[in-house]
């Protein structure tokens, strides 16, 4: 290949690259035009504070937390959400805001109000301070919210020195005590969840003396407004003292 041929080849490659750049989308408006791409499958409104699951489906932060109170499976694919780590999608939040601003400005005020409500929800849920002996709401391995007491604090020897809280669940024996990372979503301010009557809770079985060590989970089924029960064996806390 002579010099002229090499020069011509380079010019052709340069023109090809420029053509590809011109054909590629420059911003989000060139990629997505459908409002449905930004709709939460649970509330059917714009996604607010987007959270994605391992399965790839995305929901509003509040919608997902409320849904987890009753269901294990993803709303779309039924994949076990309770074993999935949440990923907050801040870029998607920005994309949704820009999309509404550009294509549906009449809906921007409603969306902004929803974002404010989400911030207020986070603030109310957040545990403001951590002290030994303090009571907080704690979600146990069965995804039931309980009142828990912080027995002590532990600092890991790992890089970053993550702080762990040793939690004792009220009404349960010490064998159910847990070490949970301080930044875990399993914590909430006292009463944030446990003061509610519409979510799963433990109740002691007191009518039958043969079932004195039995707790059961009772909750309102959000689909048909009927109470259902799931039994759970538990040692009386008094027996461990």
């Amino acid at each position: 290949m002579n010099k002229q041929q090499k020069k011509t080849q380079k010019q052709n490659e340069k023109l090809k690259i420029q053509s590809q750049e011109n054909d590629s989308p420059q911003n989000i408006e060139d990629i997505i035009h459908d409002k449905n791409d930004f709709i939460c499958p649970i509330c059917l409104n714009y996604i607010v504070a987007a959270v994605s699951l391992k399965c790839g489906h995305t929901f509003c932060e509040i919608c997902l937390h409320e849904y987890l109170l009753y269901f294990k499976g993803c709303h779309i694919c039924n994949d076990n959400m309770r074993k999935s780590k949440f990923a907050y999608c801040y870029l998607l939040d920005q994309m949704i805001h820009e999309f509404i601003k550009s294509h549906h400005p009449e809906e921007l005020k409603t969306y902004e109000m929803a974002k404010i409500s989400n911030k207020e929800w986070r603030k109310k849920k957040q545990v403001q301070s951590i002290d030994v002996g303090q009571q907080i709401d704690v979600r146990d391995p069965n995804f039931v919210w309980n009142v828990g007491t912080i027995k002590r604090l532990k600092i890991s020897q790992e890089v970053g020195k993550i702080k762990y809280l040793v939690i004792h669940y009220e009404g349960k024996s010490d064998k159910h005590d847990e070490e949970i990372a301080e930044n875990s979503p399993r914590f909430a301010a006292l009463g944030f969840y446990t003061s509610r009557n519409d979510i799963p809770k433990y109740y002691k079985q007191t009518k039958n003396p043969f079932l004195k060590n039995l707790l059961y989970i009772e909750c309102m089924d959000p689909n048909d407004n009927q109470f259902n029960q799931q039994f759970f064996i538990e040692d009386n806390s008094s027996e461990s003292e």
Side-chain angles (χ1 to χ4, degrees), residues 127-188:
V127 178
Q128 298 298 327
S129 61
I130 301 295
D131 299 298
V132 174
Q134 178 183 351
Q135 288 190 325
I136 57 177
D137 282 4
V138 186
R139 192 183 70 204
D140 71 10
N142 293 314
F143 269 70
V144 177
W145 284 90
N146 304 257
V147 173
T149 301
I150 303 173
K151 292 181 68 173
R152 60 183 182 276
L153 308 179
K154 292 183 66 176
I155 306 296
S156 72
Q157 301 302 317
E158 303 171 1
V159 178
K161 294 185 177 180
I162 301 173
K163 184 184 292 184
Y164 288 86
L165 310 184
V166 179
I167 298 295
H168 172 72
Y169 294 102
E170 296 301 307
K172 292 186 179 182
S173 60
D174 291 345
K175 71 178 183 180
H176 292 285
D177 290 357
E178 274 195 281
E179 293 182 10
I180 306 175
E182 182 184 26
N183 60 352
S184 171
R186 294 174 59 185
F187 296 131

Side-chain angles (χ1 to χ4, degrees), residues 55-98:
C55 61
H57 296 117
T58 305
F59 308 89
C60 299
E61 179 183 24
I62 295 179
C63 289
L64 184 58
H65 279 267
E66 287 293 308
Y67 192 82
L68 273 169
L69 293 172
Y70 306 100
F71 304 105
K72 294 181 180 179
C74 170
H75 185 71
I76 302 299
C77 66
N78 206 36
D79 191 47
N80 193 338
M81 299 184 299
R82 295 181 175 180
K83 294 182 179 180
S84 176
K85 290 185 178 180
F86 297 172
Y88 284 86
C89 308
Y90 301 109
L91 179 59
L92 180 57
D93 292 335
Q94 183 180 352
M95 290 164 60
I96 294 172
H97 184 274
E98 292 301 321

Side-chain angles (χ1 to χ4, degrees), residues 27-39 45-47 91-109 111-112 115:
N27 49 48
I28 185 59
E29 284 80 6
D30 295 327
I31 301 173
I32 300 177
H33 295 279
D34 190 354
K35 175 180 177 179
N36 292 328
D37 291 313
F38 296 129
I39 295 298
N45 294 311
Y46 285 111
I47 297 173
L91 179 59
L92 180 57
D93 292 335
Q94 183 180 352
M95 290 164 60
I96 294 172
H97 184 274
E98 292 301 321
F99 177 82
I100 298 173
K101 186 177 179 181
S102 299
H103 296 279
H104 300 281
E106 72 282 359
E107 298 178 329
L108 187 59
K109 184 177 180 180
Y111 179 71
E112 292 290 351
K115 288 170 64 177

Side-chain angles (χ1 to χ4, degrees), residues 69 140 142-144 199-204 214-219 227-232:
L69 293 172
D140 71 10
N142 293 314
F143 269 70
V144 177
I199 63 175
K201 287 187 176 183
Y202 290 116
Y203 294 87
K204 285 192 175 183
L214 184 67
L215 294 180
Y216 64 89
I217 302 172
E218 183 176 78
C219 67
F227 278 97
N228 59 74
Q229 298 177 3
Q230 174 186 349
F231 287 93
F232 174 75

